[in-house]
Amino acid sequence: MQRSGSGWFETLLNNHTNVSSNGEIFSAKERRINASSIVSTLDRVYNLDWFTSASKNECSAAVGFKWMLNQGLMEHHKEIVEYFNTRGVSVIFLFRRNLLRRMVSVLANSYDRYAKLLNGTHKSHVHSHEEANALSRYKPVINSTSLVMDLKLMEKMVLEALEYFSSTRHIVLYYEDLIKNRTKLMDVQEFLGLPKMELTSRQIKIHKGSLLEHIKNWEDVDKILRGTTYESFLHTDYTN
């Protein structure tokens, strides 16, 4: 799901000598019009001769890309699961536990697409504290009326994705766990059959600290979520 740390996570993977992860190839709509176009796109990735001359020098071990759940993955899951299992593709799920923080990030990123706060340019990810501070000054207003339902829909999508792809070879990760416990990255490398390396990223977190600093109508949000299963989202802080 967008704004769950996938861009940061992909930079960590690509920091590994033996990994080539090639971004959101399915952001282009023509590549995911239907199941046939998806399979054709996948073939172009996996039919490339990755493991011949390069493999002799131990250069390549894992080749892949980032695929958002709303980029045809859910609609055509049956065909994709069959393809993955036939070709031996491994799947890394990356989710975010605190869906309220994800919502803040989504709204702020959407706003910046039009406002272009960084000298007239839009950046989904930043590499300096100055840029992060500039973007974090915008405080979105959360729709408190639909908030609980919106969070439930996000949870539903996560559960459906895990159900649809349960038969694939996969690992499930959470952004917060990666932040708190960097040994999780070792688990990922083991899952991909990689030699273990210390992985780093230049990306800087935008929304640090307490959520009340980043939501304009914090009091409304706090009141709505009090006493619900989502109350913990209000006070769980992660920084990196």
Side-chain angles (χ1 to χ4, degrees):
M1 299 172 76
Q2 282 88 348
R3 314 311 295 177
S4 293
S6 60
W8 167 71
F9 179 66
E10 190 174 34
T11 63
L12 289 171
L13 288 181
N14 275 324
N15 188 237
H16 197 291
T17 306
N18 306 110
V19 174
S20 174
S21 187
N22 299 284
E24 292 181 48
I25 64 172
F26 285 104
S27 61
K29 291 183 179 179
E30 65 271 13
R31 294 174 182 164
R32 53 181 165 92
I33 296 172
N34 50 43
S36 296
S37 62
I38 287 174
V39 168
S40 176
T41 302
L42 291 172
D43 278 343
R44 288 204 295 277
V45 174
Y46 293 120
N47 285 345
L48 289 173
D49 207 1
W50 295 105
F51 300 111
T52 53
S53 60
S55 65
K56 295 174 185 176
N57 298 316
E58 298 181 348
C59 294
S60 296
V63 175
F65 51 90
K66 183 169 67 168
W67 200 347
M68 297 301 182
L69 296 185
N70 66 348
Q71 294 175 345
L73 194 63
M74 302 293 277
E75 295 91 328
H76 304 287
H77 63 90
K78 291 182 180 178
E79 294 87 349
I80 295 166
V81 166
E82 181 181 359
Y83 185 97
F84 281 1
N85 288 336
T86 300
R87 296 296 297 263
V89 177
S90 297
V91 181
I92 300 173
F93 285 106
L94 177 63
F95 298 118
R96 194 163 186 165
R97 294 189 194 279
N98 193 326
L99 297 174
L100 181 60
R101 279 190 172 272
R102 176 186 176 270
M103 186 180 292
V104 168
S105 185
V106 167
L107 292 172
N109 186 61
S110 179
Y111 172 78
D112 189 62
R113 288 183 187 277
Y114 301 97
K116 296 180 173 60
L117 299 174
L118 297 177
N119 299 319
T121 61
H122 168 61
K123 289 188 177 181
S124 295
H125 309 101
V126 298
H127 298 99
S128 74
H129 293 289
E130 291 76 18
E131 291 175 324
N133 290 335
L135 292 182
S136 68
R137 291 191 193 108
Y138 170 73
K139 297 183 178 183
V141 174
I142 302 289
N143 187 334
S144 56
T145 304
S146 64
L147 177 56
V148 172
M149 181 56 66
D150 291 340
L151 293 173
K152 285 182 178 178
L153 289 174
M154 288 185 220
E155 282 187 329
K156 183 173 181 286
M157 180 177 284
V158 169
L159 293 174
E160 286 181 345
L162 292 174
E163 179 185 351
Y164 291 163
F165 290 85
S166 61
S167 67
T168 63
R169 180 179 185 270
H170 66 273
I171 185 173
V172 181
L173 302 174
Y174 289 91
Y175 169 78
E176 291 87 349
D177 295 342
L178 288 170
I179 294 293
K180 291 192 299 180
N181 183 3
R182 295 306 281 265
T183 61
K184 289 289 182 182
L185 288 175
M186 296 299 178
D187 295 340
V188 173
Q189 294 176 68
E190 183 177 343
F191 174 73
L192 294 176
L194 303 172
K196 303 291 178 61
M197 288 182 59
E198 187 68 30
L199 304 180
T200 60
S201 170
R202 291 177 53 239
Q203 281 195 16
I204 303 294
K205 184 176 175 65
I206 296 172
H207 296 98
K208 294 183 178 180
S210 184
L211 265 179
L212 64 86
E213 301 172 13
H214 301 296
I215 298 176
K216 191 169 186 179
N217 59 330
W218 170 256
E219 290 184 359
D220 293 339
V221 171
D222 183 78
K223 182 179 179 181
I224 289 291
L225 295 186
R226 289 279 178 184
T228 71
T229 57
Y230 306 115
E231 184 174 348
S232 63
F233 292 172
L234 296 170
H235 307 295
T236 310
D237 297 331
Y238 298 95
T239 59
N240 71 319

